[in-house]
Structure formats: structure tokens, C-alpha cells
Amino acid sequence: MSADSVIVPFVDLAAQYQEIKVDFLLQLDALGASGHYILGEQVLQFEKELASFCESKHVIAVANGSDALFLVLKALGIGPGDEVITAPNSFVASAWVIAAAGATPRYCEVDEGFNLDPKHLAKTITKRTKAIIPVHLAGIPCKIEEIVNIAREHQIEVVEDCAQAIGARYRNQHVGNFGIAGGFSLHPLKNLGLLGDGGFLTTNDSNLDTRIRLLRNHGLVDRDHVKLWGYNSRLDEIQALIGRLKLRHLNAWNVRVREIASIYQKTLSTIVETLKVPSDSLPVWHNFLIFTEKRDNLRNYLLTRGIDTRVHYPIPIHLQEVHGNEYVRGSFPKAEYQSTNSLSLPIYPTLTDHQVEAVTTAVKDFFE
Ligand SMILES: *Cc1c(COP(=O)(O)O)cnc(C)c1O
């Protein structure tokens, strides 16, 4: 069977679009007729609705999730000579924003849940460390309270990378409220995805909020007055409109992905390694990872059964070419194990029970 006869695609964004299409097309016309396309009513309302959803005091919409993290680092004054720690098994954006700010990315080994391990954190912190960017990878909260406590002892900031985790909770608190700020992505592939790029950040710190609002819009206090050198990182009104329409469905969509994850766990955990989710967290399953030494064979087999999968991510950040010879294999064994043994199964709200069963049956057949 070839890839184009896949019956369980890895994602199906067009199916999700159908759920907002009618409202979107109607309101798009009104938006066009309004003549107001940048930082207008849609962005304002979207920020309010996101603040309420994330239970944060302030939400600032920006051009993408990377910018959300980057602007926080800039607003905190992090730059050359500083070090910032993140997870080596994350998407590369968690690290490049550190380099883009002029600072040096450092990595910390991950734990049994493949999130940054607080036990390895203290020895990664140096005199130059200014912040930690823990990642709630795959939509599963990391041990954020322990991380924040360690950071506090060392008087460094925590900026949560929530790009994959909108709607996730740790000890009943929405992610993005534990550190000084949280960065979220609205990239089409994320749990709340737009029809293009977008992102936002949460903070409960009013000074930081003010500063980042300036940074995202040329440093302008008003039309004519520039307070500091800024950037252009705004979310546009059309994307904000789409985000508002989709946000209404997000809780239901996250419930559905949790349902799928629990079916995967029930049927697959006896035959392959799956992620153990701590009982004090509520994940949103951006990805569902299984682990096996036969990963590549399993992946090829599933494709012959019409099931598309991905690897998140095949090369950990510390072993990427961009780092040259800075790190050797073996530096972060758990993160490296994930890159060679993990496979991400399709998981998204429009996946049918029939498709979920096709996946579990095919995985079982492979191991028999
Ligand atoms: C997607 C992602 C980002 C970056 O978001 P963009 O909107 O693509 O810039 C950052 N960190 C993680 C973990 C991500 O998955």
C-alpha cells in the first residue's frame, strides 16, 4: 500500500476546519468590510478569551509560538553571556529562541515521563544561568512545581514552553501560570491551531505584560512615541477570528484526545512501553508516544496497513549539526533513547473509533 492510500493519516486539519467553516466565512466577510486588520477587535477579544481559558491575568497574542518565548527572554533582559536551560528532546524552537536572544542554550536530562528532570537540574545550573525553559512536551505537564522551587532557590526565572500543552493542567492549575510567563503556539499542528502561524503568551506579571506589548509592536507606546527598540510580532485579525471560533471547541476536542489516549493506553500498554502520566496532571496529548526497539520496522509495517506515524524527534537538539562537536552521544541518554525508540501514533479529535481500532489492531498484529 502506498502512502496516499493511508486510511489513518497522521493529522487531518481539513476535517477540523469543517467544524468552524460556516461561522468563519460569514465573519470573514464582516472583517473585510470593517477595514480593520491589525490589532483590532478580534485580537483584543481573543486575548481576553485566552486569558480566561488559561486562567492567567494577561495574554499577549504574537506572530508565533517561538516569538512568544523569545519576547519573554528579551523582556527579561536575557542576552550575551547568559545561559538558559531547556530540554534536549524538545522541538528545536525551545533552544533557538535562547540563541536568538544572544544567550547560550544548555540542556538538562529528562525523566521517566520524558520531560525535564528536576533531579538533574541543580547540576546544570551555573553562575551564568538566568532562566529555565521547561517544556510540557507532547501536552503532558512536566514536574513544574519542583522546577519552579529549584529556580527560586537559585533566583532564576522559569519560562514555560506550553507550545504543545494548551488546556493541560498540573495539580489542577493551567500550565503557563507557574513561572514568570508561558509561551503557547497556535501553529496549525498544535491542539489549538490556526490557518497559519500564531502564538501567545501568558503572564501574571503586569510589568512584563506592559513590556512585551511594547516589544511586539515596534516599541511604540502610541502611534508616535517609541520607548524601546522593538520587533514586529503581531497576530493578525483573520487568525484571531479563527482562533476564537476554534477555542469554543477546544475543551471538547481535548476530551476526545484524552479518550483516544486512554484507549491506546488500555490496549497497548501490555505490549509496548507507553508514557506513564502522573496522577496529579491532566495532559492534552499533543502526541501519543510509544517506545520500542523495533521502532523503524513498526513504522514501516503500520504504513503498509494504511497508518501514518511520526517520530518526535529523530535527532535530539544537542546532537544537531548546529552544535558541531559540543556534545557527544551519551550526554543525555534518556533523551537519546526517545529519539531512537519512540513512535508517535495518530491522535486528534476527528479520529473515529474505527480508525483508533485500526491503529491498535495493527500494532498488536505487528508484535504477534
Ligand atoms: C511548535 C513549538 C514551538 C514553536 O512554535 P511556533 O508557533 O512554530 O513558532 C516551540 N516549542 C515547542 C515545544 C513546539 O512544539
Side-chain angles (χ1 to χ4, degrees):
M1 198 180 281
S2 70
D4 56 20
S5 54
V6 159
I7 58 155
V8 188
F10 187 70
V11 290
D12 192 353
L13 301 179
Q16 202 179 56
Y17 172 68
Q18 293 307 320
E19 298 190 31
I20 60 149
K21 178 178 164 176
V22 174
D23 287 335
F24 171 61
L25 291 177
L26 264 173
Q27 294 193 40
L28 180 63
D29 188 48
L31 177 61
S34 78
H36 205 151
Y37 310 135
I38 292 281
L39 296 184
E41 194 58 23
Q42 293 298 334
V43 167
L44 196 72
Q45 293 307 326
F46 189 34
E47 286 180 341
K48 280 189 190 159
E49 290 159 10
L50 285 170
S52 155
F53 187 89
C54 296
E55 296 161 14
S56 305
K57 206 158 154 194
H58 308 283
V59 159
I60 307 149
V62 294
N64 54 67
S66 307
D67 276 9
L69 296 168
F70 171 76
L71 293 175
V72 175
L73 297 182
K74 293 306 287 187
L76 293 174
I78 290 168
D82 299 335
E83 292 177 2
V84 178
I85 299 168
T86 193
N89 61 336
S90 186
F91 178 60
V92 67
S94 307
W96 78 247
V97 297
I98 300 166
T104 305
R106 296 282 181 224
Y107 305 103
C108 175
E109 177 64 306
V110 294
D111 59 18
E112 69 288 346
F114 297 93
N115 267 321
L116 202 143
D117 191 345
K119 286 194 197 73
H120 285 265
L121 197 51
K123 64 176 183 238
T124 317
I125 295 172
T126 71
K127 282 198 180 68
R128 292 171 169 234
T129 309
K130 288 286 153 51
I132 304 166
I133 304 184
V135 186
H136 303 293
L137 202 65
I140 301 165
C142 65
K143 293 178 183 137
I144 189 65
E145 276 186 353
E146 276 181 68
I147 293 168
V148 166
N149 287 339
I150 295 167
R152 214 168 269 151
E153 277 166 33
H154 292 83
Q155 293 179 310
I156 55 186
E157 298 290 0
V158 171
V159 181
E160 298 172 66
D161 184 339
C162 307
Q164 303 186 357
I166 187 167
R169 290 174 168 271
Y170 184 79
R171 296 186 180 158
N172 207 27
Q173 189 174 338
H174 196 285
V175 297
N177 292 304
F178 293 88
I180 183 84
F184 292 75
S185 171
L186 300 167
H187 180 281
L189 290 173
K190 303 297 160 78
N191 289 41
L192 180 66
L194 307 180
L195 269 60
D197 276 307
F200 68 93
L201 57 101
T202 52
T203 184
N204 295 303
D205 182 310
S206 299
N207 289 331
L208 192 71
D209 172 65
T210 306
R211 220 175 146 73
I212 292 172
R213 280 184 199 283
L214 293 175
L215 287 176
R216 80 161 167 188
N217 193 27
H218 309 294
L220 285 165
V221 185
D222 54 37
R223 200 180 180 292
D224 302 316
H225 297 92
V226 177
K227 185 155 179 164
L228 40 81
W229 296 124
Y231 302 88
N232 176 349
S233 182
R234 300 171 305 225
L235 185 72
D236 70 69
E237 289 283 290
I238 298 180
Q239 296 303 340
L241 166 61
I242 292 155
R244 292 184 69 198
L245 293 172
K246 284 197 170 190
L247 185 58
R248 296 175 194 164
H249 296 270
L250 186 57
N251 276 330
W253 288 341
N254 280 341
V255 166
R256 175 62 183 154
V257 296
R258 275 184 211 120
E259 199 173 271
I260 296 167
S262 96
I263 297 172
Y264 279 159
Q265 257 159 345
K266 247 179 240 149
T267 46
L268 299 179
S269 62
T270 51
I271 45 177
V272 282
E273 189 187 341
T274 57
L275 275 185
K276 290 150 208 72
V277 176
S279 57
D280 54 3
S281 74
L282 184 68
V284 290
W285 300 106
H286 175 63
N287 288 310
F288 190 94
L289 275 63
I290 60 173
F291 300 84
T292 166
E293 279 169 15
K294 301 183 184 118
R295 190 266 310 276
D296 294 334
N297 288 341
L298 173 61
R299 190 170 186 210
N300 290 333
Y301 175 76
L302 291 177
L303 204 56
T304 68
R305 295 278 297 257
I307 295 154
D308 199 10
T309 57
R310 293 279 185 283
V311 174
H312 296 97
Y313 299 91
I315 306 172
I317 308 173
H318 66 286
L319 297 178
Q320 288 287 351
E321 194 179 337
V322 69
H323 272 302
N325 296 323
E326 226 177 308
Y327 296 91
V328 292
R329 191 165 282 280
S331 305
F332 305 105
K334 275 244 147 204
E336 292 165 23
Y337 169 86
Q338 177 180 348
S339 68
T340 49
N341 292 273
S342 81
L343 187 66
S344 301
L345 301 179
I347 188 161
Y348 44 92
T350 54
L351 210 57
T352 64
D353 288 347
H354 175 72
Q355 287 173 308
V356 174
E357 200 187 325
V359 175
T360 55
T361 306
V363 173
K364 278 190 222 158
D365 288 350
F366 173 80
F367 284 102
E368 277 161 15

